[in-house]
Amino acid sequence: MSLTVANILVTGCLYTLIAIGLTMVYGMLRVLHIVHAGVFAVGAMVGLLVFQALGAGFWLSLLAAMLASGVMGVAIYHLGYRWVLDAPRGTPLIVSIGLFIAVQSLLERPFLLGPDASSFDAPTGLSALEIGDFAMTSIQVTIVLSTAVVGLAVWYILARTRLGLGWRALSEDMNMARSLGVAAERAIAVNMFVGSAMAGLAGVLIAVYENAVYAHMGSVVAYKAFVVVVLGGLGSVPGAVAAAFVLATVEIGISTWLGSFFPRDAIGFAVLILILLFMPTGLMGKRLD
Amino acid sequence: MSTRNPSRRAFIASLSAALVAGAAFAGAAAAAEKVKIGFFSPQTGFAASDGQAALHGAQIAVQFINGAGGVLGKEIELVSYDDASKPDQAANVAQKLTQSDKVTAAVSGSYSFLTRPAASIFQRAKTPLVTAYAVHPEITATGEYIFRTSVPAEVEGASAAWTISKLMKKKKVALVTMDNDAGVALADAFKRMADKAGLEIATEEKYSLQDKDLRPILNRIKGMGVDAIYANGFYAQAALLVNQRQELGMDTQIVGMEGFDSPKFLELAKPGAAEGTVITTALDRGSKNPVVQKFIAEYKKQFGLSADMVAASSFDAVTVLAEAIKRAGSTEADAIVKALHGIKGFDGVTTGPFQGFTEGGDVIKPVMIQQVKGDDFAHFAIIDDPEIMNLH
C-alpha cells in the first residue's frame, strides 16, 4: 500500500511538471503544443550528454538540461508559432506535429542518441526516505522535491509578479492586453522558456528514474500530457496539477488493485471521457467563447 | 559503289567488333551478376536497436558466404530495407523486394507484428521468406514459401514453463505478458505447458509497450507468494522490470524470453538488478561450435558490440537460405523450398544444430537457457527434450 502511495505521488509530480508547460502555452497562444514532448526528450538528452561528456554531477546536468529546453521553447515560438498565430487553428497544430516528428527523427540519428536506449544512472545525492512503512528511493525524493520547488516558483510568478499578471492578461485577451501596454513578445518568450524548462526537468528526472534515454521517449508524453491538460481544463495551471494527481491515482490505483485487465493508457482516456461528460470544460477550466 | 564499299565494310567490321565486345561485356556482367537476397528489419523507430543488430548479423553471414565462394558460382547481394518498426511499411518493403527488386528469396530480421503483414506478400509472390527470430505461430502458417529458423512461440513458451517447473522445481508462478502478438503467443504456450507440468499460475498481468511503470504489476504480484515470474518483452522492458523489482525490494526469480537477450538489457539494468535472471534464447555463447565463436569474434571486431540473439538468428537465417540455394542448384523458388525441407542436421549455424524443418516450415532445434552472471549471459541449460522440440 505505501509503495503504491509513493508511486502515485511520484507519477503525479511527473505528470504535473510536463502538463504545466503545456497548459501555459495553450492558455496564452491557443496552440496544442505537441512538440513539448520533443522538448522533454531533448532535455533528457542534454542532461545525459552533460553528465557523460562533461562529467558533471546530477544537479548541474539538470540545470543545463532545463536551460537548453527553455531556449528550445523560445526558439520554437520565434521560428514556428509566431508566424502562424493568426492562421486557422489547425495550422499551428500541424507546425507543432511537424516539429515533433523532426525532433524525434533527429534524435534518432547516430550522432545524437542513435537507435538504442542509453543508461542514465546518476546519483542525485539526496538520501532515501523511510518513515515507518512508507519508503521512497533517492530519485523518488528528488522528483517530489524538485516538483514542489518548481511548482511553488511558478505559482509565485503567476500570482504575485507583474510578469504573471501579464501572462494572465495575455491569455484573457491577447489583443486587448497588447493595446493596454503588456510587453507581449517578452512575456510570451519567458512563458515558453519556463514551460519548456519544466519539460526538460521532467525529461531528466524520468530518464534517471527509469535509467533510460532514447529518441522516442516523448511518444507517450505527446498524448498523455494532453489527457492531463484537457482533464484539468485547457489553460488552467491549478487544473493541470489537480488532473495530474487524479490521473495518477486512478491509473495506478486501478492497475494495482484491480489488475491489468485494461491497458493503462485506456484507463487515462476513460477517466477523461467520464469527467468531460459531466464537466465539459475539465476540472478547473473556464468557458472559452 | 566502290566508294561505299569500304565504308560498308568498315561499318560491318565495327558492328561485329561491337557485337563481340558486347558479348564479352555481357559475359562479364553474367559473372558479376549476383544472387539477390532481400532483407528487412527496423532501422528506425522504437525497434531500431534490434533491427540494426539483425542487419549486422545478416551482413556478416553474407561476408562469410561470399568469402567461401558464394552460391552457384555467384556472390550474394543483400538488398536491405528499413521497415521503420511499422507494419504498413513492412508490407511496402515486401512489395518492393518482390516486385521491383525481384529478389530470389528474402529474410525477415524483424518482429512478429512486422513480419506477419510482409509474409503474406512473399507468399503471394511465391518468393521464399525465412524468418530469423519472430515467434508468432501465424507467420509460418501463411503458406509453403514461409520458413522460420528460430523456434516458434509454442516451443519457446513451453521451454520456459519446463525450466521453471522441472529444472528450478518452482511451484507457483506469475505471468507478466507484453500485450502484443509475440507476448500473448508465448504466454499461451507457457500456460499449456504449465498445465501439463502441474505448475500453478497465480496471475497473468499484461502491459503495453508504452508502459514504463511496471510497479503496479509488481506490487500486485508481491502479495501473491509466487516463486517465479515469467515475463516477456524486449530489452527495454526487461531492464524496467528488473530495475523496478529491485526498487520495490523484491527478489522473486525472473524467467524471461529471447527478447531479453541483448547487451542493452544488461547496460540499462541498474547494478545487480539483472543478476540471476534466466532467459530462453537461441544463442549459447559458450558453445564449442567454431561457427559460434567465429561469428561472435567477427561481430565484435566489425561493430564493437557483443553479438546477441537477434544478430545470431539473422546470421543463421541468411546462412540456411544460402545453403538451400546451393543444394537446390538453382534460384527457382520451388527448388529452394524443396531444398530447405531437405536440410537435416545442419550445424553451420550459431543457434543449432538444426535438426530440420517441419512440414509447416518451422525449425526443430534445441532451446538455450541462459542466466545473467555478472555482466554477461552464461550457460544454464539446454532443452532438447523431443517432447518440447516437437511442439509445433
Side-chain angles (χ1 to χ4, degrees):
Chain A
M1 174 72 196
S2 67
L3 288 168
T4 302
V5 172
N7 193 11
I8 290 174
L9 185 61
V10 169
T11 307
C13 285
L14 292 170
Y15 284 175
T16 300
L17 283 177
I18 299 168
I20 285 181
L22 206 55
T23 208
M24 282 188 354
V25 172
Y26 184 85
M28 188 165 293
L29 304 179
R30 300 285 186 274
V31 172
L32 289 174
H33 183 40
I34 306 279
V35 64
H36 198 57
V39 176
F40 160 87
V42 168
M45 181 194 69
V46 171
L48 178 67
L49 287 182
V50 172
F51 179 74
Q52 275 183 346
L54 306 181
F58 170 81
W59 293 100
L60 196 61
S61 311
L62 189 71
L63 209 64
M66 290 176 72
L67 205 67
S69 313
V71 171
M72 183 175 171
V74 177
I76 288 169
Y77 171 70
H78 276 288
L79 303 175
Y81 297 155
R82 192 154 75 103
W83 309 99
V84 291
L85 280 184
D86 296 328
R89 285 240 179 142
T91 311
L93 174 63
I94 300 296
V95 168
S96 197
I97 293 173
L99 282 171
F100 177 51
I101 294 172
V103 168
Q104 265 196 340
S105 321
L106 203 64
L107 288 179
E108 210 179 20
R109 297 296 109 197
F111 56 89
L112 291 174
L113 289 172
D116 297 318
S118 313
S119 160
F120 193 170
D121 197 6
T124 73
L126 295 183
S127 58
L129 185 74
E130 218 178 324
I131 309 170
D133 203 23
F134 185 81
M136 278 171 101
T137 60
S138 158
I139 178 67
Q140 288 180 321
V141 172
T142 310
I143 290 170
V144 174
L145 281 182
S146 316
T147 309
V149 170
V150 172
L152 281 175
V154 168
W155 170 81
Y156 182 81
I157 297 177
L158 268 172
R160 294 273 187 274
T161 66
R162 251 187 103 73
L163 178 65
L165 192 65
W167 286 354
R168 280 180 291 149
L170 283 166
S171 50
E172 291 274 327
D173 186 332
M174 187 170 285
N175 290 331
M176 183 59 83
R178 277 181 201 268
S179 57
L180 291 177
V182 175
E185 289 300 314
R186 196 179 130 256
I188 291 171
V190 178
N191 181 299
M192 290 294 295
F193 185 91
V194 172
S196 302
M198 289 173 76
L201 169 67
V204 172
L205 290 174
I206 289 182
V208 174
Y209 190 32
E210 307 301 7
N211 196 27
V213 179
Y214 49 101
H216 290 262
M217 64 188 291
S219 297
V220 174
V221 172
Y223 62 83
K224 196 50 114 14
F226 278 99
V227 176
V228 178
V229 169
V230 174
L231 193 59
L234 275 160
S236 162
V237 173
V241 178
F245 284 93
V246 167
L247 192 67
T249 309
V250 176
E251 272 186 3
I252 294 173
I254 287 183
S255 40
T256 308
W257 291 307
L258 297 181
S260 47
F261 60 93
F262 209 47
R264 180 158 161 181
D265 287 342
I267 297 173
F269 282 101
V271 171
L272 179 70
I273 292 167
L274 267 179
I275 291 191
L276 289 186
L277 276 178
F278 298 102
M279 307 168 82
T281 56
L283 295 175
M284 297 188 191
K286 281 173 287 190
R287 274 187 66 91
L288 296 170
D289 300 310
Chain B
M1 283 300 269
S2 61
T3 51
R4 279 171 65 192
N5 257 344
S7 77
R8 185 187 278 171
R9 216 174 293 138
F11 173 74
I12 289 168
S14 65
L15 187 69
S16 47
L19 278 174
V20 169
F25 181 72
E33 196 182 288
K34 293 179 174 179
V35 175
K36 281 190 193 171
I37 291 187
F39 185 84
F40 64 95
S41 68
Q43 298 297 304
T44 55
F46 85 95
S49 179
D50 278 341
Q52 298 196 356
L55 178 59
H56 291 162
Q59 285 167 337
I60 292 186
V62 171
Q63 289 166 15
F64 283 7
I65 296 160
N66 288 344
V71 293
L72 315 177
K74 297 174 191 166
E75 289 207 324
I76 284 180
E77 180 190 351
L78 198 68
V79 183
S80 161
Y81 290 110
D82 175 16
D83 66 32
S85 314
K86 293 186 179 120
D88 55 331
Q89 187 59 22
N92 286 341
V93 163
Q95 289 285 5
K96 223 187 296 185
L97 286 170
T98 51
Q99 304 308 318
S100 56
D101 294 307
K102 299 198 187 309
V103 295
T104 297
V107 167
S108 156
S110 204
Y111 291 175
S112 290
F113 75 98
L114 300 165
T115 305
R116 287 176 73 182
S120 57
I121 292 168
F122 283 103
Q123 171 65 26
R124 245 180 289 141
K126 301 195 164 134
T127 304
L129 174 73
V130 179
T131 301
Y133 63 93
V135 297
H136 198 278
E138 287 294 323
I139 294 170
T140 41
T142 307
E144 70 272 29
Y145 293 96
I146 314 300
F147 288 77
R148 166 164 40 210
T149 47
S150 67
V151 300
E154 196 55 47
V155 174
E156 195 184 338
S159 302
W162 183 274
T163 303
I164 293 173
S165 159
K166 305 280 191 226
L167 305 182
M168 299 174 149
K169 313 277 182 218
K170 309 270 189 196
K171 299 270 177 274
K172 194 172 169 188
V173 62
L175 268 56
V176 177
T177 301
M178 164 171 68
D179 202 359
N180 68 6
D181 299 30
V184 172
L186 284 164
D188 286 348
F190 183 96
K191 284 185 262 184
R192 279 190 285 273
M193 178 50 77
D195 240 18
K196 270 193 230 166
L199 181 63
E200 185 192 341
I201 293 174
T203 180
E204 178 176 15
E205 305 289 333
K206 288 187 181 169
Y207 69 93
S208 79
L209 280 179
Q210 282 81 35
D211 262 339
K212 304 301 166 208
D213 183 12
L214 304 175
R215 296 172 188 87
I217 287 176
L218 289 168
N219 263 329
R220 271 176 72 74
I221 292 173
K222 200 175 180 183
M224 292 179 177
V226 300
D227 317 311
I229 295 172
Y230 173 58
N232 54 51
F234 305 120
Y235 75 84
Q237 289 74 38
L240 288 172
L241 189 73
V242 298
N243 288 343
Q244 294 174 9
R245 177 188 64 156
Q246 187 184 51
E247 181 189 308
L248 296 175
M250 296 169 71
D251 58 2
T252 315
Q253 171 72 48
I254 290 179
V255 175
M257 46 88 85
E258 62 180 21
F260 287 30
D261 186 333
S262 161
K264 294 302 283 181
F265 164 44
L266 303 177
E267 184 191 322
L268 294 177
K270 293 187 178 169
E275 187 67 23
T277 301
V278 167
I279 62 170
T280 55
T281 185
L283 180 62
D284 179 8
R285 290 163 177 78
S287 168
K288 301 272 186 296
N289 183 347
V291 179
V292 178
Q293 297 313 327
K294 189 178 162 203
F295 170 71
I296 288 176
E298 191 62 29
Y299 197 90
K300 183 100 195 170
K301 198 176 113 199
Q302 289 191 28
F303 305 107
L305 296 166
S306 317
D308 57 8
M309 175 284 297
V310 165
S313 299
S314 303
F315 173 92
D316 287 359
V318 174
T319 305
V320 166
L321 185 55
E323 178 69 19
I325 295 173
K326 257 189 244 171
R327 292 187 187 195
S330 141
T331 54
E332 204 265 315
D334 290 312
I336 295 172
V337 166
K338 198 160 166 259
L340 277 165
H341 279 295
I343 293 177
K344 306 264 182 245
F346 183 59
D347 63 359
V349 286
T350 57
T351 65
F354 282 16
Q355 303 194 354
F357 285 101
T358 64
E359 266 178 40
D362 266 312
V363 74
I364 299 173
K365 67 175 183 182
V367 175
M368 304 297 158
I369 311 296
Q370 300 252 299
Q371 184 171 35
V372 178
K373 286 244 170 78
D375 53 5
D376 209 350
F377 295 96
H379 173 92
F380 184 79
I382 292 177
I383 296 194
D384 51 6
D385 195 299
E387 191 192 330
I388 293 182
M389 280 204 297
N390 292 316
L391 281 171
H392 283 283

